[in-house]
Amino acid sequence: MATSAFAPNARGYYGQFGGAFIPEMLYPNVEELRTQYLDILADPAFQQEYQQLLRDYVGRPTPLFEAKRLSAKYNTRIYLKREDLCHTGAHKVNNTVGQILLAQRLGKKRIIAETGAGQHGVATATVCALMGLECIVYMGEIDMERQKPNVYRMRLLGAEVRPATSGSKTLKDATNEAIRDWISNPVDTHYIIGSVVGPHPYPDLVARLQAVISEEMRKQLLEKTGSELPNYVVACVGGGSNAAGAFYHFLDEPDVKLIAVEAAGHGVDSGHSAATSVLGKPGIIHGSRTLLMQDEDGQITEPYSLSAGLDYPGIGPLHAYLGDSGRARFIAITDDDALRSVAELSRLEGIIPALETAHALAALDQIGAGPDDVVVVNLSGRGDKDLETYLKYAEKLTEQK
Amino acid sequence: MTDGTMTKKYLMKDRIKTTFEQKGKKLLNVYFTAGYPTLEATVPLIEAVTEAGADLVEIGMPFSDPLADGPVIQHSGTVALQNGMNMRVLFRQLQGVRQRVPDAPILLMGYLNPVMQFGVENFCREAAEAGVDGVILPDLPLDDYVEEYQEIFRRYNLRPVFLITPQTAPERIRRIDELTDSFLYLVSGPGTTGSQTGQDSTAQEAYFQRIEAMNLRNPRLIGFGIGDKQSFDRACQYAEGAIIGSALIKAMDGVDDAPAAARQFVQSVLN
Ligand SMILES: Cc1ncc(COP(=O)(O)O)c(C=O)c1O
C-alpha cells in the first residue's frame, strides 16, 4: 500500500483530514508510537507472532459465505465476510491482537481502552488475559446498561471496567476518559484505541491491523467467483475500523464500489442521529481533524443510534477523505431498518448479526447492485450482545417495511 | 493585512513582559472558566482576582470535550455552556475590560475546535480588540502553529503559550522556547488539571531543576495540582510563579458571591 493514493502523508493527513491534535502531555507517547509502528509491523518476528495468533487464537481466515437466500431476495450475488466468527464475536480482535504485541514491544505493562458496544473492550480484555497484562476499559454509563453481557464478559476476563459519567455517557466520553488516563500514566501504559480514529498514527495503525479482512476477501473471491474483485464492498461505520479493513486492499481498485453505512438513528434530520458524513463539518475530535457533528460554536454534539457501536460523533479521517473524494459512497440507515435486517438475516441465513452490522445489511436495497454483481457485506459481528435489545424491540424486528 | 497601522494598533503594550520584568518572582496566574458560575461572572471575577493580587488571568473558553482537564474544570465548562457561554458572548463581555483592569495580562485558554469554528483570524482580531495578551491552546500542534497560525498571531500581537511536561524532550523544549515570547507553562507532573501530581516530589524537583538549568529565554510558570499557599510557595522556588485553576473554581462552588469567594481564595494563597 506504500503507493496508495489513500495512505496518510508523513504527518498523518488523508487530504485535509487526520493529523495529531494532542496536548503536550500525550506527545511523547504518540510520538513513540508514530516513530516505531511501521518498523514493528514490518518486523518478521512480529508478523510471525501476529499471523499465528490470528490463525490459532482468532480463528482466521474467517469464511466468505455465499448467502443464497439473501441473494435471491435482493436479486444479486451476496457474500458475507464472517468476522462474526472471530474469537470474541467481532472484527475488533484483529486490532487488539496486533496492538497487544506492539505494546509488548514498546515495553508497556498496563493497557487501557475505550469501548462503545463493548466488543472492543472484550477484545482488549481478552488479549490482556492472554498476555497477562493489566487492563482497564472505559465505557459510557449508558452503554454499560445497554450492553450488559459485554460488561460481565470483560470482568470475567479480569479487566476493570470504569464507567464514563461525563457528557453523553457513551463512546465519545469513554474515549475522553481513556485519553485522560493516558495523560495521567505517560510511561507504562499503552492505549489500544478501538477504531480508525484518534491522533496519527492510530488511524493508519488500526487500518493496517484490520486490513487482513480484505486481504482474505481477495483470495476467497478469486476462489469462489474467479475474480479477486467484487463490484461492491459494504460495511457499517462507527469510527470505521471494520470498514477500513474491508476496503483496504480495494482502495486502489476504482471498479470496486465502496459503501460505508452510517447510523441514521431516528432519521438523519430527526435531531437523533449519528450520520456524521451528512451532519458533520470538519473539526477536531480525539486528536484528529475529521468530519464531526458539532454545533455552530464548535461544541461536539451528542450523537444518537440505538446501536452502541455506531453512536460516535466523528468518523475516522480516512473515511472523511473517502467520502470527500468520492471514493466511497455513504448511506445512512435508521434504527428501525437495521432492526428489520436483524430479523431478515436471522431467518434467511441462520445468522444473528450485531446491531451495528445490521446497518450494513439494511443498505443492500439502496446500493443498486444488479443480478450479475458480486456484493461483499462485511459481517462485522454477531448479535449475542444485543439480544436484550432485540427482545425489547421484538415487534419492530419483524414488522414489514 | 500586515500593513503598519494594523500591526501598530496591537503593539501598544506588552503586558506579559512588563509583568514578569516588574515583579520577577512569585507571580500568581489564576485560571477560571468564562461564564462560571454564572454567565456574567467573567469580568467581575477578573476584577476580583486582580484586585486581590493575582498577577495574570487565564480565562477558560469552555469546550464540550476538554481532554486535558480533570473533573473540576470539566464541570465548570459544562455549567458555563449551559449558562450560554460561547465565543461571541465572551468577546462581548471582554469589551471594556481594559478600562477596569489595565495592566494584568489576560490570556485565553481552550481547545482548538471552537477557535477553528469561530475562525482563527476572527478569534485573534476579537481577542486583540478586547485587550487579550496571550492564548493557550493545548491541542494546537507546534507544526500547525508555525505553518498556519504564527503569522496571524503575530499580526495581532497575541502571544502563544505552550505546555512542557516532565516527558518533553530537551530539544523540543528548546524549540518551544524559541517559538515563545511570553512564558513557558510547566505542567507539574503527569495528569489532567486539578490532579495531585506532586506525589513523587524528588522526581518533580529534578524535573524543575533540569528545566531551570537549561537557561531558557522565557520565564516559567508551574501549573496543574497547585491549590493552596503551601503548594504555591513550593512551586515558586523553581519558577517565576505558578498557575492555580481547579482550586479556585472549587472555592466558588455553591457560593452566592463568586467574586468575593475568589478574592478570598487569592488572598489565602498570597498571604
Ligand atoms: C460488531 C461491530 N461492528 C461495527 C462496530 C463499529 O466500529 P467500527 O466502525 O470501528 O468498525 C462495532 C463497534 O463496537 C461493532 O461491535
Side-chain angles (χ1 to χ4, degrees):
Chain A
M1 288 293 290
T3 56
S4 171
F6 299 96
N9 72 14
R11 280 171 56 198
Y13 280 92
Y14 304 84
Q16 59 159 317
F17 302 110
F21 295 84
I22 47 170
E24 185 63 26
M25 294 81 104
L26 284 178
Y27 183 83
N29 268 329
V30 171
E31 189 65 4
E32 177 183 40
L33 201 60
R34 186 186 72 81
T35 53
Q36 298 202 39
Y37 82 109
L38 289 176
D39 289 343
I40 292 177
L41 293 191
D43 176 11
F46 172 93
Q47 277 302 327
Q48 198 203 344
E49 210 177 340
Y50 177 55
Q51 298 301 338
Q52 189 174 350
L53 280 172
L54 287 183
R55 189 185 65 225
D56 299 340
Y57 190 67
V58 174
R60 303 204 71 92
T62 58
L64 185 73
F65 173 68
E66 184 174 5
K68 294 213 171 101
R69 292 193 353 118
L70 194 69
S71 297
K73 164 126 201 225
Y74 290 99
N75 196 25
T76 184
R77 287 173 69 191
I78 300 171
Y79 288 84
L80 304 176
K81 181 59 174 163
R82 298 290 309 274
E83 294 301 299
D84 61 316
L85 295 178
C86 288
H87 178 42
T88 70
H91 67 289
K92 297 283 182 187
V93 72
N94 303 325
N95 170 42
T96 62
V97 163
Q99 284 207 47
I100 201 83
L101 297 176
L102 186 81
Q104 287 180 321
R105 279 160 177 78
L106 294 171
K108 307 292 179 175
K109 302 280 180 273
R110 182 175 172 274
I111 300 296
I112 55 172
E114 86 296 335
T115 197
Q119 288 304 108
H120 174 61
V122 167
T124 304
T126 297
V127 295
C128 286
L130 181 69
M131 300 300 176
L133 292 178
E134 182 186 355
C135 179
I136 291 143
V137 179
Y138 291 90
M139 188 168 188
E141 218 170 30
I142 291 181
D143 291 340
M144 286 179 73
E145 190 50 44
R146 58 180 166 174
Q147 308 276 243
K148 262 187 224 151
N150 274 342
V151 177
Y152 298 138
R153 220 168 270 151
M154 285 184 270
R155 289 189 173 139
L156 189 59
L157 290 161
E160 183 190 340
V161 183
R162 292 190 187 162
T165 57
S166 58
S168 54
K169 303 180 176 58
T170 62
L171 180 55
K172 144 179 110 69
D173 312 283
T175 308
N176 289 342
E177 290 306 329
I179 291 174
R180 289 182 185 122
D181 181 310
W182 211 19
I183 286 174
S184 304
N185 296 283
V187 180
D188 66 339
T189 298
H190 176 68
Y191 176 22
I192 301 191
I193 212 163
S195 194
V196 285
V197 300
H200 178 63
Y202 276 113
D204 189 44
L205 168 64
V206 177
R208 284 168 186 264
L209 293 173
Q210 292 291 359
V212 63
I213 299 173
S214 47
E215 190 186 322
E216 290 173 4
M217 279 180 188
R218 288 185 73 124
K219 286 186 202 136
Q220 292 166 323
L221 282 166
L222 181 63
E223 237 170 63
K224 290 177 199 297
T225 70
S227 166
E228 285 184 34
L229 303 183
N231 301 92
Y232 295 86
V233 180
V234 186
C236 67
V237 173
S241 68
N242 88 86
F247 294 169
Y248 199 87
H249 290 283
F250 301 114
L251 287 171
D252 296 313
E253 307 281 3
D255 292 340
V256 180
K257 298 185 183 73
L258 306 177
I259 312 286
V261 186
E262 293 182 297
H266 291 166
V268 169
D269 301 319
S270 67
H272 300 275
S273 179
T276 307
S277 74
V278 185
L279 302 170
K281 289 181 299 187
I284 293 164
I285 181 167
H286 299 140
S288 179
R289 185 179 147 86
T290 187
L291 288 177
L292 171 61
M293 290 171 57
Q294 54 188 317
D295 66 16
E296 58 175 339
D297 296 325
Q299 308 295 343
I300 299 175
T301 53
E302 298 180 357
Y304 165 82
S305 164
L306 183 61
S307 121
L310 300 183
D311 66 350
Y312 187 68
I315 48 173
L318 165 64
H319 294 294
Y321 182 55
L322 293 179
D324 213 37
S325 63
R327 178 66 190 94
R329 176 182 164 199
F330 280 74
I331 293 176
I333 292 295
T334 61
D335 290 350
D336 288 358
D337 286 345
L339 285 169
R340 276 191 287 270
S341 288
V342 169
E344 183 178 89
L345 191 73
S346 303
R347 291 174 185 199
L348 287 179
E349 301 291 348
I351 298 170
I352 302 173
L355 187 51
E356 291 77 14
T357 313
H359 288 73
L361 295 162
L364 280 170
D365 62 357
Q366 292 185 37
I367 63 176
D372 297 327
D373 286 336
V374 170
V375 179
V376 181
V377 179
N378 196 36
L379 212 74
S380 60
R382 67 180 185 220
D384 307 41
K385 70 182 177 58
D386 297 306
L387 280 183
E388 210 172 298
T389 307
Y390 295 167
L391 264 173
K392 190 167 158 199
Y393 293 97
E395 277 171 28
K396 283 203 168 151
L397 236 55
T398 48
E399 88 194 4
Q400 296 300 309
K401 254 197 203 183
Chain B
M1 289 293 274
T2 41
D3 69 279
T5 50
M6 182 121 190
T7 317
K8 214 182 296 159
K9 184 172 164 194
Y10 300 111
L11 261 181
M12 298 186 320
K13 278 189 174 172
D14 190 339
R15 296 186 193 88
I16 298 177
K17 197 168 187 179
T18 309
T19 301
F20 277 91
E21 277 175 3
Q22 285 181 352
K23 193 159 176 194
K25 60 179 197 303
K26 291 204 81 166
L27 279 90
L28 174 62
N29 181 352
V30 295
Y31 170 99
F32 54 84
T33 304
Y36 177 88
T38 58
L39 183 63
E40 298 298 334
T42 318
V43 172
L45 281 174
I46 300 174
E47 289 187 81
V49 296
T50 49
E51 275 166 27
D55 301 289
L56 304 91
V57 184
E58 260 173 60
I59 313 283
M61 302 176 285
F63 181 47
S64 55
D65 294 75
L67 284 183
D69 287 306
V72 173
I73 293 181
Q74 282 175 44
H75 177 252
S76 70
T78 305
V79 172
L81 290 173
Q82 282 163 358
N83 288 343
M85 180 48 67
N86 62 33
M87 218 70 93
R88 272 182 306 278
V89 171
L90 176 59
F91 286 129
R92 171 183 58 70
Q93 291 181 345
L94 290 179
Q95 273 172 26
V97 72
R98 281 302 174 200
Q99 273 104 60
R100 301 170 189 223
V101 183
D103 299 321
I106 296 176
L107 296 101
L108 298 181
M109 179 161 187
Y111 294 81
L112 187 54
N113 197 51
V115 173
M116 265 179 46
Q117 303 310 323
F118 193 75
V120 175
E121 173 109 34
N122 284 344
F123 172 82
C124 288
R125 187 189 319 105
E126 297 260 354
E129 297 279 352
V132 167
D133 304 284
V135 177
I136 312 177
L137 297 170
D139 59 348
L140 170 60
L142 282 186
D143 288 333
D144 290 63
Y145 168 71
V146 171
E147 282 172 29
E148 292 179 42
Y149 303 135
Q150 187 171 33
E151 197 212 304
I152 305 175
F153 273 52
R154 285 197 175 146
R155 203 182 303 150
Y156 294 99
N157 197 30
L158 279 178
R159 306 297 162 90
V161 174
F162 299 105
L163 274 52
I164 287 172
T165 80
Q167 271 72 42
T168 308
E171 62 275 20
R172 188 168 166 85
I173 295 177
R174 294 263 174 229
R175 176 154 187 243
I176 289 171
D177 189 40
E178 282 301 314
L179 290 172
T180 303
D181 201 5
S182 53
F183 63 89
L184 303 171
Y185 192 136
L186 259 59
V187 176
S188 62
T192 50
T193 52
S195 54
Q196 294 307 312
T197 53
Q199 308 300 3
D200 184 356
S201 61
T202 25
Q204 201 181 51
E205 225 163 276
Y207 155 58
F208 294 150
Q209 283 165 350
R210 177 164 59 82
I211 308 282
E212 192 162 17
M214 290 181 77
N215 287 316
L216 301 169
R217 310 162 50 220
N218 289 280
R220 291 148 292 144
L221 297 180
I222 293 173
F224 285 39
I226 317 283
D228 54 18
K229 180 170 175 56
Q230 194 193 348
S231 48
F232 176 69
D233 287 345
R234 181 167 172 268
C236 288
Q237 292 171 17
Y238 304 101
E240 280 78 0
I243 304 166
I244 298 185
S246 297
L248 168 61
I249 289 169
K250 233 189 264 174
M252 295 190 285
D253 187 26
V255 303
D256 288 332
D257 188 345
R263 191 177 288 120
Q264 206 173 17
F265 175 84
V266 170
Q267 284 163 350
S268 78
V269 172
L270 293 176
N271 300 320

